Amino acid sequence: MNMKKILLLLAIIVSSMTVHAKTLVVYYSYTNNVHTIVSELVKQINADVLRIEPAQKGLDYEANNYAIGSAQIAAIRENPGHETSYPAIDPTDVNLAQYDCIIIGAPLWWSNMAAPLQTYLFKNGGTMAGKKIGLIVSSYSSGINGVESDAQRLIPDGDFFDRSLWIRSSQTSNSASLLRQWLKDIDYETVAGMDDTVAANEPDSYTVFSVNGSLLAQNASTLHNLEGGLYIINGKKTYIK
Ligand SMILES: Cc1cc2nc3c(=O)[nH]c(=O)nc-3n(C[C@H](O)[C@H](O)[C@H](O)COP(=O)(O)O)c2cc1C
């Protein structure tokens, strides 16, 4: 195979991993803490958003010491493998195949993931196999291990980011900076293949080729002078600008 063909092949492989990478944020929110967090998140990343809604409207999950929410969680705990254990939700029509990364925004209920969100993942978690999965959990004070276990049970073949983000209810108004730090810690832009610009993460030394294989620059001081387009930039990593 000649150099041109190799570079073209590389361009196709990298562009399928990188340029078309898309993120979906799926969440449920009863008292709008997770809703506020997700609204902040989509200011920081490009993502589509899907909000899950229970089919039964007007339920007061908090009444009588959280009785309804508690009963829903108990039903799932008792028989997690059966569809009837999960509360019905409104139909959704998002094609998960078009997403490479799914970020889940989950309220914590009785140490578990809020029941309506579990319903969505019970139905769709299998379709998320191999995708990058991020988890953001909101709770009043309880730790989030149980929610992490739920996510892993419901998305058994998900490729989870190294750590999930726990935002306590009292920190909701501070979620912008917590999200920014988390995205940085998990190296979201690179790991999720969202890096369609080299601006934030430029390699130290590199060689820039056009897609038809001609050498454009070597160890250039900056990549920003290049017009927008598809380039093979070969340094420590391969980038698309
Ligand atoms: C049914 C139910 C059960 C809950 N159980 C817990 C709990 O065990 N521990 C806790 O710290 N918070 C618990 N919470 C509080 C929520 O996790 C917290 O308020 C969260 O921020 C709600 O997110 P949301 O506003 O997006 O619905 C519970 C809330 C509900 C409605």
Side-chain angles (χ1 to χ4, degrees), residues 29-34 66 108-110 138-142 169:
S29 188
Y30 177 53
T31 48
N32 277 332
N33 288 334
V34 174
Y66 305 97
L108 175 147
W109 285 7
W110 296 110
S138 170
S139 80
Y140 178 70
S141 63
S142 299
S169 320

